[in-house]
Amino acid sequence: MAQTTIQPSENHLLALLPENEYAAVACHLEPCETPRGFVIVQACAPIDHAYFPCSGVGSIVNISPEGNRVEGGLFGRDGFAPTAAAIGAGISITQVVVQVPGFAYRLPQGKLLDLMKTQPVFASLLHKSAHVLAIQAGFTALSNAVHEVDERLARWILMCHDRIDGDKLALTHEFISVMLAVRRPSVTTALHVLEGKLFIRSVRGLLIIRDRAGLEEFAADAYGKAEEEYERLIGPLRKSRL
């Protein structure tokens, strides 16, 4: 694989490891590109590796027996996936797929479990990350039940924005509709609402965040609780934006 300047420490969890544990983990990490649509693990398939993103955004997608799909959570350099790898589950019930392309490091599941036995800070961070992702999934379910589509979209854009550099997201209306479990015309209408308020600009599959503070105010209680829990247990979620 081509040499890269991206370091494992660009993943928040790996960056928090003490020097000795970082060295113990890093020597087993394999670098890999994660293009859009890259499937980290299929639903109901064996887990081969745990991925630690340094950039990009991934989605945890629940798929019903009839093939209906909805996003249950998302992650980026703040965490790892699939979280089931950390308990040796062997099988992932959900699909994990990359929605914003990036770069990651990965560990075979067996090695991950071995390291968790000998590296206590590493194990603790993985447990905390899995907990926060479960909290996020719970609030996603709450938001799907009680918030309007435009508020849910604002929350989702904010969550993606937390995990990227810059203010641009390359996402199609069709993909957003799958993630929010709504029809594509509903996504178009919601995007028009956010554009009309000058929070974003949407053009040719690209979302540009223009007013982060406005988006947060609009999303109201749809956004923030899982993010607060991440910062309480792990640390800052977003890079400083000077």
Side-chain angles (χ1 to χ4, degrees), residues 75-96:
F75 65 96
R77 58 192 171 204
D78 57 305
F80 76 105
T83 55
I87 61 168
I91 298 291
S92 176
I93 298 302
T94 57
Q95 182 189 64
V96 183

Side-chain angles (χ1 to χ4, degrees), residues 107-141:
L107 272 174
Q109 181 181 225
K111 179 55 65 176
L112 179 85
L113 295 171
D114 289 344
L115 288 166
M116 289 179 70
K117 294 174 184 175
T118 60
Q119 312 301 323
V121 177
F122 182 57
S124 176
L125 285 168
L126 296 192
H127 291 151
K128 289 176 180 178
S129 179
H131 163 74
V132 172
L133 190 59
I135 296 297
Q136 184 201 115
F139 276 94
T140 295

Side-chain angles (χ1 to χ4, degrees), residues 17-29 107 111 115 118-119 122:
L17 294 176
E19 185 175 350
N20 63 316
E21 290 204 20
Y22 181 85
V25 173
C27 66
H28 297 290
L29 293 168
L107 272 174
K111 179 55 65 176
L115 288 166
T118 60
Q119 312 301 323
F122 182 57

Side-chain angles (χ1 to χ4, degrees), residues 43-199:
C44 300
I47 298 170
D48 295 323
H49 295 85
Y51 286 72
F52 295 80
C54 297
S55 59
V57 179
S59 289
I60 296 122
V61 182
N62 297 303
I63 305 174
S64 76
E66 293 77 24
N68 296 309
R69 299 160 59 87
V70 66
E71 182 181 71
L74 59 79
F75 65 96
R77 58 192 171 204
D78 57 305
F80 76 105
T83 55
I87 61 168
I91 298 291
S92 176
I93 298 302
T94 57
Q95 182 189 64
V96 183
V97 61
V98 173
Q99 57 171 286
V100 176
F103 190 90
Y105 284 85
R106 68 182 191 178
L107 272 174
Q109 181 181 225
K111 179 55 65 176
L112 179 85
L113 295 171
D114 289 344
L115 288 166
M116 289 179 70
K117 294 174 184 175
T118 60
Q119 312 301 323
V121 177
F122 182 57
S124 176
L125 285 168
L126 296 192
H127 291 151
K128 289 176 180 178
S129 179
H131 163 74
V132 172
L133 190 59
I135 296 297
Q136 184 201 115
F139 276 94
T140 295
L142 175 65
S143 187
N144 288 348
V146 304
H147 294 121
E148 299 294 333
V149 175
D150 47 9
E151 294 171 316
R152 290 166 54 198
L153 178 59
R155 172 183 184 261
W156 190 77
I157 292 171
L158 287 165
M159 290 167 64
C160 289
H161 194 218
D162 287 338
R163 293 161 172 84
I164 66 165
D165 295 319
D167 300 315
K168 296 180 180 179
L169 288 166
L171 298 164
T172 66
H173 292 201
E174 182 177 0
F175 188 86
I176 297 170
S177 71
V178 171
M179 295 302 99
L180 297 182
V182 297
R183 296 173 61 245
R184 181 170 173 174
S186 297
V187 171
T188 301
T189 300
L191 285 169
H192 286 164
V193 170
L194 300 186
E195 281 191 286
K197 294 180 180 294
L198 304 182
F199 298 152

